[in-house]
Amino acid sequence: MSDIPENHPRALSLTYRKLIEDGVESGLVAKAGPIAHGRGEAFDYLLGEETLPCVLDDIETAAALLLEAEYPVISVNGNSAVLAPESLVSLARAIPAKLEVNVFYGRTFDREKMISDLLKSKGAEEVLGINASAKVPNLFSARQHVDKEGMAKADLVLVLLEDGDRTKALIDWGKKVISVDLNPLSRTGKDATLNICDNIVRCVPLLEKAVTELRDDKAKRSKLIQEMNNKKTCSRVLKAIVERLGKLAEEA
Ligand code: PTJ
């Protein structure tokens, strides 16, 4: 029986924690996974645990980028695999995009396969990144290992909640990067072509919805991409957080 009562005010949040906890126990999530998750939870509180209106616009632009890409790849690590496996598989099918395992900690065949098997159990037909033989130039962590049929060929990579040096290395390698990172100050978010400052559990389904809506609207996609400016995106999020906290301080 679960320790989490259904009517607990934080039941959903505790359920996500449990997924991370169980993932650590099985070896699918890195030992540092709960630390990353806790940091995400803290930033999510600042957003009100809702997708900000300005971020909905960023999600639409991200969908336009994904549809315009010639070879988009979704990068999946331990945390993202346990938090949003169904919606990641569904998004990949909708775009369509490749799914590729890419982890920072303890990159073993067993861990790669665990992540791949989880995605396959949710319907993924192909998961790349197992025993990957290509390398991201000037990247020295295990994230440097990429699939020659995946990220090495990609013109756009969707990077979900991760530590900081890969996005810049991918950009320097000529790729576009969409990051999803709840920390509006993160290096990843700032270096990305576009950051989505939202929780992956909320934004991946929204991203799929936007992909479906924009599929037949080339003109709107072009306009969104033309107007894209990640500096403005990051700044709008910070302003929205400051405004929200200001209001809360007034009400306190
Ligand atoms: O599975 P591995 O080995 O690749 O390791 C994955 C982790 C996440 C442990 C590793 O990449 C890491 O240590 O990441 P960091 O440096 O803690 O960065 C994670 C970022 O994601 C932080 O800025 C968090 O605020 C953010 N974050 C955490 N949870 C979420 C999130 N962003 C969006 N949605 C979340 N649910």
Side-chain angles (χ1 to χ4, degrees):
M1 208 182 79
S2 165
D3 288 335
I4 308 167
E6 274 175 33
N7 62 354
H8 190 285
R10 305 282 311 154
L12 190 59
S13 168
L14 296 178
T15 305
Y16 290 129
R17 280 189 178 186
K18 178 83 171 78
L19 290 172
I20 297 282
E21 258 181 70
D22 291 349
V24 172
E25 229 166 78
S26 70
L28 197 154
V29 171
K31 284 185 188 146
I35 301 170
H37 187 74
R39 181 146 53 141
E41 281 182 336
F43 281 111
D44 211 7
Y45 255 78
L46 302 182
L47 304 183
E49 294 176 304
E50 280 177 3
T51 306
L52 294 172
C54 63
V55 173
L56 283 173
D57 295 343
D58 301 327
I59 290 173
E60 211 181 14
T61 305
L65 284 170
L66 285 163
L67 286 165
E68 287 299 313
E70 279 178 19
Y71 204 89
V73 173
I74 302 176
S75 178
V76 185
N77 62 17
N79 284 45
S80 53
V82 296
L83 289 176
E86 288 96 351
S87 50
L88 285 172
V89 170
S90 184
L91 174 66
R93 193 177 299 126
I95 298 168
K98 302 276 181 197
L99 286 162
E100 177 169 341
V101 176
N102 184 280
V103 298
F104 183 86
Y105 291 103
R107 189 161 185 161
T108 60
F109 172 78
D110 285 351
R111 185 157 184 242
E112 289 170 346
K113 186 157 181 321
M114 251 189 255
I115 295 175
S116 163
D117 286 350
L118 173 60
L119 296 174
K120 286 188 174 164
S121 75
K122 304 297 178 188
E125 277 163 28
E126 181 188 38
V127 180
L128 302 169
I130 314 285
N131 288 328
S133 60
K135 282 188 180 176
V136 180
N138 301 314
L139 190 63
F140 305 99
S141 69
R143 291 207 191 284
Q144 69 180 287
H145 303 292
V146 290
D147 202 300
K148 60 181 179 13
E149 292 307 315
M151 278 183 243
K153 258 169 111 169
D155 57 339
L156 184 148
V157 183
L158 175 61
V159 163
L160 304 152
L161 74 102
E162 78 174 42
D163 47 281
D165 58 350
R166 182 167 68 129
T167 291
K168 182 165 186 308
L170 288 172
I171 298 267
D172 290 347
W173 203 16
K175 322 280 179 194
K176 291 193 172 96
V177 174
I178 300 169
S179 59
V180 181
D181 195 325
L182 276 163
N183 176 1
L185 303 170
S186 82
R187 190 190 307 258
T188 294
K190 283 188 193 159
D191 285 339
T193 311
L194 182 68
N195 185 50
I196 300 174
C197 185
D198 199 14
N199 196 318
I200 68 157
V201 300
R202 287 193 301 269
C203 100
V204 175
L206 291 173
L207 205 41
E208 180 177 343
K209 186 167 168 273
V211 162
T212 309
E213 286 167 1
L214 283 175
R215 188 178 313 284
D216 299 322
D217 198 341
K218 175 97 184 149
K220 186 161 181 195
R221 295 204 299 268
S222 305
K223 186 168 181 285
L224 286 165
I225 293 173
Q226 229 172 6
E227 289 170 357
M228 175 178 67
N229 179 332
N230 193 45
K231 273 198 174 150
K232 279 198 187 143
T233 284
C234 296
S235 148
R236 277 196 314 183
V237 168
L238 285 171
K239 283 182 186 154
I241 292 173
V242 169
E243 197 182 319
R244 179 169 183 275
L245 295 183
K247 272 194 198 146
L248 287 174
E250 289 300 322
E251 288 162 11

